[in-house]
Amino acid sequence: MKKVCLLLTALALSISPASLSLSRAAAAPNAISPMADTLPQPPDWETGVGGNKNGGSVDGQGSQVGSTGKPAPTGATGCAGCTYVWTESCDPAIDANCGTFVGACPPGFVMETLVINNPALPNPTLGVTECRSATGATPAQVRQAAVDAFSQLLTTAHPTQQPGGGSLVNLPTLFATNTPQTQTFNETLLGVPVTLNVQASWTWDFGDGTTVVSTIPGGQYPDTSLSHIYLAARQYTIQLTTNWTGTFSMAGGVAAAIPGGPIPRVSNPFALDVHEARGVLVTG
């Protein structure tokens, strides 16, 4: 917070029409008017106008509440005719001290300040300062998009067993989830590249009172890594739940855990007939 405050103070004292680097001008219907060398002093411009109650859009209409909770600057509420432009708070091309602020935003984002041009005021005012992507999304918005994508990308297992026609008492029955234990998804969310790494564990209910939690996907014979032995001949109902967890990283940054704990995906139960084998004498 101290760095951001110092940065905004430096911007307020030194900004001029020649040095102001404007970005995403398409967000405003008209170009911003020239800015005076000295912006209005606190408390007029320190409020931070985020546009329409910080809902992510600014159109000069309605009630615009400052992100600090203070009253908006004079003329900002119901600001007819105002134009808004986001500008990088620190431009290395004109400020050698910008290297101090490297890392202030996550990879894929830059620190920007909203500049408001109100025709009723002599000078533009500064609104909220925040980290934004090339599409105007904040890190919090991209994180939420990653959480939403995580839940949508998860798969449900389709378990099978061998022997296919039923099993025998006191002999191993082989099971398979037919789902990989780990998966990686590379997505572009709100203009930011996001990598999702997901891991699965499985809860097997073998229908005879035995429940097993495993990270082994199992497989077809000769893969015997996931098996169960039944001790009585009858029909059993098998149930499988896949529990997904994962991490995400934005623009190659540090990975963070997907919040909310494991997300379950319950497979359709299936019946398994277990038979008792009897010895039979045969010729030859």
Side-chain angles (χ1 to χ4, degrees), residues 30 47 73 82 132 139 156 160 190 196 203 209 212 227 232 243 276:
N30 303 300
T47 301
C82 286
R132 287 162 57 90
T156 300
T160 57
L190 302 179
L196 294 130
T203 301
V212 174
S227 64
N243 305 295
E276 186 174 344

Side-chain angles (χ1 to χ4, degrees), residues 108-193:
F109 299 85
V110 295
M111 187 183 297
E112 295 186 339
T113 297
L114 183 64
V115 179
I116 309 109
N117 182 41
N118 185 347
L121 298 177
N123 297 313
T125 55
L126 299 184
V128 65
T129 295
E130 61 187 12
C131 298
R132 287 162 57 90
S133 71
T135 60
T138 65
Q141 290 170 331
V142 176
R143 282 194 293 269
Q144 185 58 54
V147 173
D148 295 341
F150 172 67
S151 62
Q152 294 169 8
L153 291 168
L154 301 183
T155 58
T156 300
H158 300 282
T160 57
Q161 103 286 331
Q162 278 188 309
S167 191
L168 297 175
V169 172
N170 296 322
L171 291 177
T173 301
L174 307 182
F175 292 91
T177 63
N178 301 300
T179 304
Q181 200 268 330
T182 61
Q183 297 182 61
T184 298
F185 302 98
N186 293 304
E187 305 289 325
T188 298
L189 305 175
L190 302 179
V192 177

Side-chain angles (χ1 to χ4, degrees), residues 11-276:
L11 177 64
L13 293 175
S14 63
I15 196 164
S16 67
S19 64
L20 180 61
S21 173
L22 299 182
S23 61
R24 279 189 284 287
N30 303 300
I32 191 165
S33 63
M35 180 176 287
D37 289 338
T38 304
L39 291 172
Q41 295 302 301
D44 291 335
W45 60 263
E46 70 175 1
T47 301
V49 178
N52 293 347
K53 298 184 179 179
N54 292 324
S57 65
V58 285
D59 58 12
Q61 305 297 323
S63 175
Q64 298 170 337
V65 179
S67 62
T68 63
K70 302 177 183 178
T74 303
T77 301
C79 183
C82 286
T83 57
Y84 305 84
V85 180
W86 287 93
T87 180
E88 289 191 25
S89 297
C90 196
D91 187 347
I94 60 176
D95 187 351
N97 295 321
C98 284
T100 306
F101 299 96
V102 172
C105 291
F109 299 85
V110 295
M111 187 183 297
E112 295 186 339
T113 297
L114 183 64
V115 179
I116 309 109
N117 182 41
N118 185 347
L121 298 177
N123 297 313
T125 55
L126 299 184
V128 65
T129 295
E130 61 187 12
C131 298
R132 287 162 57 90
S133 71
T135 60
T138 65
Q141 290 170 331
V142 176
R143 282 194 293 269
Q144 185 58 54
V147 173
D148 295 341
F150 172 67
S151 62
Q152 294 169 8
L153 291 168
L154 301 183
T155 58
T156 300
H158 300 282
T160 57
Q161 103 286 331
Q162 278 188 309
S167 191
L168 297 175
V169 172
N170 296 322
L171 291 177
T173 301
L174 307 182
F175 292 91
T177 63
N178 301 300
T179 304
Q181 200 268 330
T182 61
Q183 297 182 61
T184 298
F185 302 98
N186 293 304
E187 305 289 325
T188 298
L189 305 175
L190 302 179
V192 177
V194 175
T195 299
L196 294 130
N197 290 295
V198 302
Q199 303 85 37
S201 66
W202 295 278
T203 301
W204 288 90
D205 183 345
F206 291 117
D208 62 350
T210 303
T211 301
V212 174
V213 177
S214 173
T215 58
I216 299 173
Q220 305 298 312
Y221 184 83
D223 184 350
T224 60
S225 60
L226 184 61
S227 64
H228 183 65
I229 294 176
Y230 290 93
L231 303 179
R234 64 181 181 86
Q235 186 178 82
Y236 297 89
T237 299
I238 316 300
Q239 293 184 311
L240 175 64
T241 300
T242 306
N243 305 295
W244 290 104
T245 58
T247 63
F248 73 96
S249 61
M250 300 183 293
V254 178
I258 297 289
I263 294 180
R265 292 288 185 268
V266 180
S267 302
N268 292 328
F270 64 94
L272 171 64
D273 291 318
V274 177
H275 307 280
E276 186 174 344

